[in-house]
Amino acid sequence: MEKYQFDVAIVGAGGTGLRAAIAVAQADPKLRVALISKVYPMRSHTVAAEGGAAGVVRDDDSYQKHFEDTVAGGDWLCEQDVVEKFVRQAPEELYQLEHWGCPWSRKPNGDVNVRRFGGMKVPRTWFAADKSGFHMLHTLYQTSVQFPSIQRFDEHFVLDLLEEDGECKGVVCYDLQNGAFRQINAKAVFLATGGAGRCYLFNTNGGIVTGDGMALAYRHGVPLRDMEFVQYHPTGLLGCGLLMTEGCRGEGGVLYNKDGYRYLQDYGLGPETPVGQPKNKYMELGPRDRLSQAFWNESKKGRTIKYPLGEAVHLDLTHLGEKYLHERLPLICELAMTYSGVDPVKAPVPVRPVVHYTMGGIETDGNTATRMPGLYAGGECASVGIHGANRLGSNSLVETIVFGKIGGDAMAERAHSLKDFDSPELARQAEAAQKRALDLFDVKGTESMSKIRHEMGQSMEEGVGIYREEESMKKTIETLKTLQNRIKNVGLTDRGRVFNTEWMNLIELGYTLDVAQCMVHSAINRKESRGSHQRLDGPDGAYKQRDDVNFLKHSLAFKQEGADEPRIELSPVKITTFQPAKRVYGAEAEAAEAAKKAKEAK
Amino acid sequence: MEATQKTMKVTVLRYRPEQDKEPWEQTFDVPYHKDTSVLEALFYIKDNFEPSLSFRWSCRMAVCGSCGMMVNGVPHLACKTFLRDYEGKDMKIEPLANFPIERDLVVDLSDLIEKIERIKPYIIPDAKNANMPLNKNFKQTPMQMEAYLQFAQCINCGCCYAACPQYKLNPKFIGPAALTLLYRYNVDNRDAGAKLRAPFLNSEEGAWSCTFVGYCSEVCPKHVDPSSAIQLGKKMSATDYVFNMIKPEH
Amino acid sequence: MSEVKSFRKPYNPPVKKMTWWLENPFYIFYMVREGTAVLALFAVLEILFGIFMLALCELTPNQSLTGVAPYVWYLQNFLGNPVIIALNVIILVSQLFHAVTWFALMPKAVRVFMNKNSTELLPEWVTKAALYLGLVGATVVILAVAYLTK
Amino acid sequence: MRQFLPTRSDEPMYWLMFGAGGMVASMVLPAIMVVLIAAGLTSGDLQNGFLNLGQVYGIFSNWFLSLCVFGVIFLLSFYALHRMHHSSHDFGIHSKLTWYIAYGSAAAISFISLGLQLLMYVKFF
């Protein structure tokens, strides 16, 4: 097997991975960086992010406000010291991207413009029309090509981490194009592989979002934190689930049920704000979990609109006018036209909640280090602790660059403190990973991979959807257990080594199944409702409430040796200045704030 | 299956490098409805008939640029092309033209990637702005942004290279997407690197290999209009040429 | 990348260097567009031939017919030849076709903003209209002068 | 890592002439063709037909008009042969020879025209 020696190996070349690679290269051009990705960098799913990235720039805004919005939005399950660091570093990183060429939308005077976003008190979302992720990713990719110390391994699929004496010392990957295995020794390994939305059937995610990094860390004993928190985005295009950005509502789009009624006012988000005058944290600009839950309740009341492809509500943008829509939301117009046959200029778009984001991920500290020395993680695949139980829109794009940078700096430091190394043990592990992968060719089973994938997705929607109950979660747990056995009997039809996607998909599905198990086990263990995790059961419906006494804690999912299911533990949440309170939006929030001010005045 | 569902004969070009001497065709009957994309047709084939069929895909929403391929001889994104538009016809899906075929519908894009990276696709600020503090942005009015924004929409799918006869005839040609990106950075008011990019633009394999066929702009799924960027690049290069004649640099 | 075995065997489809353009209507259109240049060259040669024949003549006022025989031959036996007339009609049509394609592409090489504070580009139709106006104007002037001075 | 920079192409010079010539071909040439056709049709009348002797004398004895004719010939020949040179590439012929033939011919056509026109101009006076 070919062997390489690097200082830093980064797995995943999306927003976080690219930012980390640049950070290392800038910290010290002598450090050799391996940037490994199973696709070309610009295919990474960062590309599909639409709305924007939050960073405090306006005079009427402050770090404190961004901090409070984020922590309250996360239902107090955030690491507050990390959030604090995050909001302070966000503007700097956003300006950095601007200097690198990102076409952030502008005000007439030439300064960067910001837009409103759900759950944010003040407009603070930097945006590049509705292609923010696309522009960020391409800017980062194009910027990265000027650093000769970054060696890319495009279309290389990571099979395993290399571990010795409890430290992470590299990865073994497969070159899809050449059909060769490669061992990459590195002093620091950074996982930036994105989320795991593909656990679910209906999601906004690309086909590559299969939770690879999460499963890699999990299999090496690093816990996955808060995996039960899966965000449903309230406005996915009916049928295909493609994302209609929150920016639609930030720009003034409104949601109607079948009676043409703005139903959100019935769910603690009112009173109704006039059409065309969006107000932060009111109505359509409430947080995502609340909006998705409102849809579910409307559906139960029979007030959604029935289409051949399923139930939907209407996202109405028509009052914004053609010129404004084409300037601010060009991609939305294109997507709705192409995939739904609806022109948002003329007619409302049918939308429904769809799985979008995994708040949880690989447990890390505020510097992206996991509990395994040498292993770091950032971006959606990590849980650095800023999203808590519900992520606010436009916090994740900033997360990629802020923690990409922090991780890059941390790894550069570690690389400086270590010498190059190699050992027969690492080679042995690499060979073993190669053998495990190649052994899949010899399985003579009749199971269908696509059936397993479909059943997993279906079962996850039923068990750990917008609302959850013990009963259905148990069913999902059983289903996943049998799928774990069935996947061992998938026979491959083709032994080809070059671009064998059938083989790669099988390994990916293995990763996804592991992550799905962590999600449902974490969920069934959390006997309360918080953020995106809403339960309907418990004695006298006790789990319908937030339970700060028992569950103001992170869930940790550990791999159990010998068992095919994870073990769940709880860990404390870091609270610094912002004590848990009722999470309120709309008029209720304003009343609460007034009361607080009055109290302070006394 | 619904009674209204129709089927289409879809022929896919197959090539397995370890078994086949050259590509061959395989035909499938694919059921479809009004929203079925070519990509979904390929999913159907992979799930139900041929798990070994390989193709690149990811986002399903025409922004990641993975699924460029030839549909009835024309470069398209599979996820943005629909069977309904080929009703009454057969469909033939082939890998992107003008690139070596790696396997089935997967081509070797390394030449495209190398060219994109060759032309220095990043902001090269002038000395005055090189160390701008990170609490300040460059001034860029909406109009200054408009000058390049359209050309920054490229998703690197490779459709324009598959459409370009000049690239077919002379693979040294830097080609539509990379030249568009070059122009995009040259006209960005934050950038001062035009001089460093000029050798690529001015060369025979740069803008001057283009004969303005215009097919790249026709097939571009993001309406980037590369042929326009190249003509504007030619104007830029010609100006540079004339100035260089009047006042040579060395 | 190195001596390690690669399983690659990329297939390079053969390029039909002469006939690639027959595979796609767009390419055929392109080749026809380029082909109009051949006819334009023929028109140039025709004019040059006329100049040559004229230069052979005695160029003093009130010449006898024998002194200007070469040009008269050019006028009557060449330009007057029905084959040449037909050919010239074809050239005329081809150049009008060229004009249409040329004007259609020209806006792509023009990227001007409406005014200093606008993000709106000069619409394509304005550029095109200006070009067609140029064609009509030049045609009217040339034909008028040719008619009036004969 | 030292990158070998490609050399500057001389194409801009020809491209500028091509551009101007293409403009002439699209705007002026149709009218010229109409005149040539008309001249063919009226060639029986040597006194009043199009391009009769008096008229062509008038053109070529006027330095400005003569120069215009030369300009048209010069630009059109470069335009047409430039395009044909590139078309030879489109037919898979990549040889420096076509370059010499194309631009050599265009230059020859222009020089011949210029020479003949000067000759006539001298003859008139």
Side-chain angles (χ1 to χ4, degrees):
Chain A
M1 192 183 311
E2 241 177 323
K3 197 185 286 180
Y4 297 80
Q5 188 72 47
F6 279 91
D7 291 294
V8 174
I10 295 168
V11 183
T16 314
L18 284 164
R19 183 65 189 89
I22 296 172
V24 178
Q26 284 188 326
D28 181 355
K30 285 201 204 68
L31 293 176
R32 298 148 297 171
V33 185
L35 185 52
I36 306 154
S37 171
K38 64 178 172 179
V39 290
Y40 281 106
M42 56 283 195
R43 318 293 187 218
S44 309
H45 203 62
T46 305
V47 81
E50 294 169 357
V56 172
V57 283
R58 274 164 59 128
D59 292 339
D60 60 349
D61 200 0
S62 69
Y63 293 137
Q64 185 62 23
K65 284 181 186 162
H66 190 185
F67 168 82
E68 283 176 10
D69 284 346
T70 302
V71 174
D75 227 347
W76 278 272
L77 206 63
C78 307
E79 295 290 285
Q80 294 190 3
D81 53 339
V82 182
V83 175
E84 183 137 358
K85 176 156 129 181
F86 162 73
V87 298
R88 283 179 185 279
Q89 211 150 324
E92 201 171 285
E93 280 304 314
L94 292 165
Y95 278 119
Q96 177 66 77
L97 269 189
E98 197 277 337
H99 296 180
W100 283 340
C102 189
W104 296 121
S105 294
R106 305 288 175 151
K107 293 187 278 200
N109 74 356
D111 284 332
V112 168
N113 201 358
V114 286
R115 67 158 52 127
R116 292 166 204 281
F117 236 68
M120 300 280 192
K121 194 175 221 152
V122 186
R124 65 166 73 95
T125 297
W126 298 42
F127 62 102
D130 55 357
K131 302 178 187 177
S132 309
F134 163 80
H135 285 301
M136 282 176 64
L137 183 68
H138 279 250
T139 302
L140 284 166
Y141 158 60
Q142 288 160 10
T143 301
S144 79
V145 309
Q146 65 190 294
F147 299 102
S149 60
I150 301 173
Q151 185 182 340
R152 283 214 319 272
F153 292 79
D154 292 333
E155 309 207 295
H156 279 61
F157 182 56
V158 172
L159 297 167
D160 206 355
L161 305 175
L162 302 176
E163 178 189 349
E164 196 179 17
D165 306 328
E167 294 194 17
C168 185
K169 295 200 160 176
V171 298
V172 53
C173 56
Y174 183 75
D175 178 341
L176 293 167
Q177 187 172 29
N178 288 288
F181 291 87
R182 302 189 199 287
Q183 176 188 343
I184 296 178
N185 293 347
K187 298 168 192 170
V189 173
F190 191 71
L191 295 174
T193 55
R198 286 269 147 188
C199 290
Y200 289 76
L201 204 54
F202 293 105
N203 59 72
T204 61
N205 291 180
I208 56 174
V209 189
T210 48
D212 305 2
M214 293 179 185
L216 285 171
Y218 169 71
R219 289 174 185 183
H220 279 266
V222 178
L224 301 186
R225 184 164 73 185
D226 295 341
M227 291 306 287
E228 64 273 37
F229 299 105
V230 174
Q231 181 167 73
Y232 273 77
H233 196 290
T235 55
L237 212 49
L238 186 65
C240 52
L242 293 180
L243 177 63
M244 294 285 106
T245 173
E246 190 160 314
C248 293
R249 285 168 282 133
E251 299 294 351
V254 290
L255 291 169
Y256 292 114
N257 66 12
K258 75 168 186 195
D259 306 320
Y261 173 67
R262 289 174 66 194
Y263 58 94
L264 292 176
Q265 57 191 290
D266 295 355
Y267 301 93
L269 293 160
E272 189 174 349
T273 52
V275 172
Q277 295 173 36
K279 193 166 168 195
N280 297 89
K281 294 178 109 171
Y282 275 79
M283 293 297 286
E284 283 80 7
L285 289 180
R288 290 177 180 173
D289 53 343
R290 290 291 173 82
L291 266 67
S292 295
Q293 289 150 17
F295 175 89
W296 189 92
N297 286 308
E298 284 294 293
S299 168
K300 282 276 170 286
K301 292 181 197 163
R303 299 204 297 188
T304 53
I305 304 149
K306 308 263 183 306
Y307 279 92
L309 288 169
E311 292 174 43
V313 288
H314 275 161
L315 172 64
D316 190 3
L317 298 161
T318 51
H319 55 278
L320 295 176
E322 181 169 357
K323 186 164 178 286
Y324 191 78
L325 276 175
H326 284 178
E327 182 201 323
R328 292 297 183 95
L329 302 165
L331 183 66
I332 291 306
C333 296
E334 185 190 318
L335 291 176
M337 277 300 266
T338 311
Y339 296 101
S340 197
V342 174
D343 183 354
V345 174
K346 295 184 188 122
V349 187
V351 293
R352 56 158 299 149
V354 41
V355 166
H356 182 54
Y357 189 87
T358 44
M359 263 72 73
I362 305 161
E363 180 210 45
T364 73
D365 64 13
N367 288 318
T368 74
T370 68
R371 51 174 78 186
M372 180 192 280
L375 183 66
Y376 297 77
E380 190 176 343
C381 78
S383 165
V384 291
I386 59 167
H387 300 314
N390 173 57
R391 173 177 73 86
L392 291 189
S394 78
N395 263 352
S396 62
L397 274 180
V398 211
E399 179 190 12
T400 65
I401 47 176
V402 168
F403 290 99
K405 165 85 160 80
I406 291 174
D409 289 344
M411 290 189 293
E413 209 178 300
R414 178 177 164 88
H416 280 137
S417 69
L418 295 174
K419 287 206 164 64
D420 279 4
F421 52 77
D422 194 19
S423 79
E425 169 60 15
L426 297 181
R428 188 198 63 75
Q429 285 180 22
E431 296 291 341
Q434 168 170 352
K435 183 169 182 310
R436 270 201 308 281
L438 291 177
D439 281 350
L440 294 174
F441 285 126
D442 298 326
V443 175
K444 295 276 174 287
T446 50
E447 274 297 343
S448 146
M449 188 174 9
S450 64
K451 278 209 187 94
I452 294 178
R453 187 186 301 120
H454 190 86
E455 284 176 35
M456 170 186 67
Q458 190 74 45
S459 161
M460 289 296 285
E461 299 277 355
E462 284 160 11
V464 267
I466 297 177
Y467 282 96
R468 294 143 184 207
E469 282 172 303
E470 180 102 15
E471 196 82 350
S472 52
M473 282 192 275
K474 275 191 173 146
K475 249 193 236 158
T476 303
I477 287 176
E478 281 313 306
T479 308
L480 295 182
K481 219 171 175 175
T482 56
L483 293 180
Q484 282 285 21
N485 283 321
R486 282 169 59 188
I487 196 174
K488 295 182 185 122
N489 287 316
V490 174
L492 296 171
T493 60
D494 173 34
R495 299 186 67 103
R497 291 286 291 271
V498 175
F499 272 105
N500 189 334
T501 48
E502 186 189 10
W503 181 37
M504 184 181 83
N505 291 348
L506 179 60
I507 300 172
E508 282 177 331
L509 184 58
Y511 291 152
T512 315
L513 258 180
D514 279 4
V515 176
Q517 280 189 312
C518 292
M519 287 174 175
V520 61
H521 280 273
S522 303
I524 201 165
N525 191 61
R526 184 175 286 277
K527 296 186 171 64
E528 63 153 354
S529 290
R530 184 185 294 274
S532 68
H533 174 76
Q534 294 291 320
R535 293 185 63 150
L536 297 167
D537 54 353
D540 300 326
Y543 303 163
K544 285 186 189 172
Q545 301 302 320
R546 198 172 85 187
D547 177 1
D548 283 346
V549 179
N550 297 306
F551 288 103
L552 186 53
K553 296 212 166 63
H554 296 298
S555 316
L556 298 179
F558 286 92
K559 171 126 182 120
Q560 299 192 82
E561 277 319 313
D564 53 3
E565 284 174 327
R567 166 171 57 87
I568 307 298
E569 286 179 17
L570 297 177
S571 74
V573 176
K574 176 90 173 175
I575 291 171
T576 55
T577 54
F578 195 24
Q579 292 305 317
K582 189 169 179 224
R583 187 166 162 242
V584 285
Y585 291 92
E588 215 179 325
E590 222 152 276
E593 190 141 322
K596 192 177 141 204
K597 276 214 178 101
K599 211 169 139 194
E600 275 165 12
K602 267 181 203 163
Chain B
M1 295 281 137
E2 293 168 48
T4 54
Q5 202 149 42
K6 297 172 241 182
T7 59
M8 183 177 285
K9 273 207 179 329
V10 176
T11 302
V12 181
L13 199 72
R14 301 293 310 272
Y15 173 66
R16 296 161 304 176
E18 289 139 89
Q19 288 163 269
D20 303 328
K21 261 195 130 85
E22 51 185 42
W24 48 285
E25 291 176 359
Q26 199 175 3
T27 303
F28 308 92
D29 284 315
V30 179
Y32 71 100
H33 52 80
K34 79 174 197 352
D35 290 326
T36 307
S37 65
V38 172
L39 183 62
E40 284 163 325
L42 290 172
F43 290 159
Y44 187 85
I45 293 170
K46 195 171 171 70
D47 284 351
N48 296 287
F49 305 125
E50 267 300 343
S52 69
L53 177 68
S54 276
F55 49 93
R56 290 189 181 106
W57 69 281
S58 176
C59 74
R60 308 168 290 145
M61 54 189 270
V63 71
C64 79
S66 302
C67 62
M69 48 190 78
M70 308 298 280
V71 179
N72 287 0
V74 179
H76 279 291
L77 288 181
C79 67
K80 213 191 167 186
T81 309
F82 296 88
L83 270 62
R84 59 172 185 250
D85 298 326
Y86 295 80
E87 197 155 319
K89 285 182 246 173
D90 292 345
M91 177 177 281
K92 189 170 173 189
I93 308 175
E94 297 161 290
L96 270 187
N98 302 344
F99 292 104
I101 303 173
E102 207 63 71
R103 173 193 168 126
D104 296 340
L105 300 173
V106 176
V107 294
D108 178 16
L109 286 175
S110 45
D111 187 50
L112 164 70
I113 303 297
E114 186 278 319
K115 280 166 178 164
I116 284 172
E117 295 178 3
R118 187 197 302 174
I119 52 95
K120 301 186 188 292
Y122 40 83
I123 296 282
I124 303 173
D126 57 14
K128 182 165 63 71
N129 289 318
N131 290 308
M132 187 181 284
L134 292 178
N135 57 9
K136 216 174 132 220
N137 55 252
F138 283 83
K139 288 273 180 188
Q140 183 167 74
T141 63
M143 192 188 112
Q144 285 171 319
M145 194 159 106
E146 201 64 27
Y148 70 85
L149 192 59
Q150 180 190 342
F151 303 125
Q153 307 293 335
C154 171
I155 59 173
N156 306 160
C157 64
C159 284
C160 51
Y161 286 72
C164 177
Q166 298 308 334
Y167 180 65
K168 184 198 294 283
L169 293 165
N170 174 22
K172 280 194 182 142
F173 178 32
I174 290 176
L179 287 169
T180 303
L181 197 60
L182 186 155
Y183 181 79
R184 170 250 180 275
Y185 276 101
N186 273 2
V187 294
D188 190 319
N189 68 311
R190 293 169 289 192
D191 181 81
K195 267 213 163 56
L196 294 167
R197 293 184 201 102
F200 305 106
L201 180 64
N202 292 341
S203 67
E204 201 62 59
E205 66 251 36
W208 300 110
S209 275
C210 169
T211 56
F212 211 169
V213 179
Y215 200 38
C216 52
S217 297
E218 191 76 9
V219 303
C220 177
K222 304 309 282 184
H223 310 293
V224 175
D225 205 348
S227 71
S228 171
I230 300 177
Q231 300 326 300
L232 296 165
K234 283 182 186 171
K235 275 164 69 177
M236 201 177 250
S237 175
T239 315
D240 187 59
Y241 183 88
V242 173
F243 275 113
N244 191 55
M245 267 200 314
I246 300 164
K247 195 167 154 250
E249 261 159 39
H250 29 248
Chain C
M1 249 180 170
S2 76
E3 69 287 347
V4 170
K5 182 174 189 246
S6 165
F7 291 84
R8 280 185 76 197
K9 196 185 78 186
Y11 178 81
N12 285 290
V15 177
K16 297 182 194 126
K17 292 227 172 219
M18 292 288 271
T19 55
W20 57 269
W21 51 277
L22 290 169
E23 284 162 14
N24 184 316
F26 198 98
Y27 294 153
I28 295 174
F29 177 84
Y30 160 74
M31 288 304 256
V32 171
R33 184 190 97 188
E34 299 295 295
T36 59
V38 179
L39 294 172
L41 181 66
F42 188 84
V44 171
L45 293 174
E46 253 182 75
I47 300 168
L48 188 65
F49 183 44
I51 292 173
F52 175 70
M53 294 306 258
L54 187 62
L56 291 182
C57 300
E58 307 272 328
L59 296 178
T60 45
N62 305 321
Q63 252 309 316
S64 67
L65 270 181
T66 47
V68 295
Y71 185 72
V72 171
W73 184 89
Y74 170 76
L75 210 52
Q76 294 186 329
N77 295 41
F78 183 76
L79 286 186
N81 187 322
V83 178
I84 295 297
I85 291 177
L87 189 62
N88 281 347
V89 171
I90 293 171
I91 296 176
L92 171 63
V93 173
S94 78
Q95 296 314 301
L96 285 171
F97 172 75
H98 156 75
V100 172
T101 62
W102 189 263
F103 296 166
L105 289 176
M106 202 50 67
K108 285 191 192 294
V110 179
R111 201 173 160 81
V112 186
F113 288 96
M114 290 294 280
N115 61 55
K116 245 173 67 180
N117 300 314
S118 164
T119 58
E120 265 171 62
L121 290 166
L122 191 70
E124 286 204 1
W125 69 264
V126 176
T127 316
K128 271 192 202 171
L131 291 164
Y132 277 102
L133 223 62
L135 167 61
V136 172
T139 306
V140 168
V141 168
I142 292 171
L143 293 185
V145 169
Y147 182 78
L148 294 173
T149 59
K150 74 184 163 111
Chain D
M1 217 173 14
R2 213 187 116 65
Q3 216 173 0
F4 284 96
L5 293 178
T7 48
R8 186 192 278 276
S9 166
D10 279 325
E11 188 78 4
M13 197 160 64
Y14 305 104
W15 181 72
L16 288 169
M17 285 195 279
F18 161 76
M23 227 31 135
V24 171
S26 58
M27 289 195 174
V28 180
L29 195 51
I32 294 177
M33 292 321 295
V34 172
V35 172
L36 287 179
I37 292 164
L41 293 173
T42 58
S43 60
D45 183 354
L46 286 177
Q47 294 305 313
N48 295 314
F50 278 91
L51 295 184
N52 62 44
L53 281 162
Q55 195 171 23
V56 292
Y57 281 10
I59 293 170
F60 290 103
S61 61
N62 178 315
W63 67 268
F64 177 74
L65 289 177
S66 190
L67 199 64
C68 287
V69 172
F70 170 71
V72 167
I73 288 174
F74 168 73
L75 289 174
L76 277 182
S77 58
F78 270 91
Y79 149 76
L81 283 152
H82 173 91
R83 237 182 187 178
M84 288 161 73
H85 166 56
H86 280 281
S87 291
S88 73
H89 283 247
D90 294 344
F91 285 109
I93 303 160
H94 301 280
S95 153
K96 195 74 186 162
L97 192 63
T98 59
W99 187 93
Y100 284 113
I101 293 173
Y103 298 112
S105 309
I109 289 170
S110 305
F111 273 116
I112 293 169
S113 177
L114 186 67
L116 291 173
Q117 285 177 256
L118 281 174
L119 181 73
M120 284 193 280
Y121 197 70
V122 172
K123 272 191 187 177
F124 278 120
F125 300 100

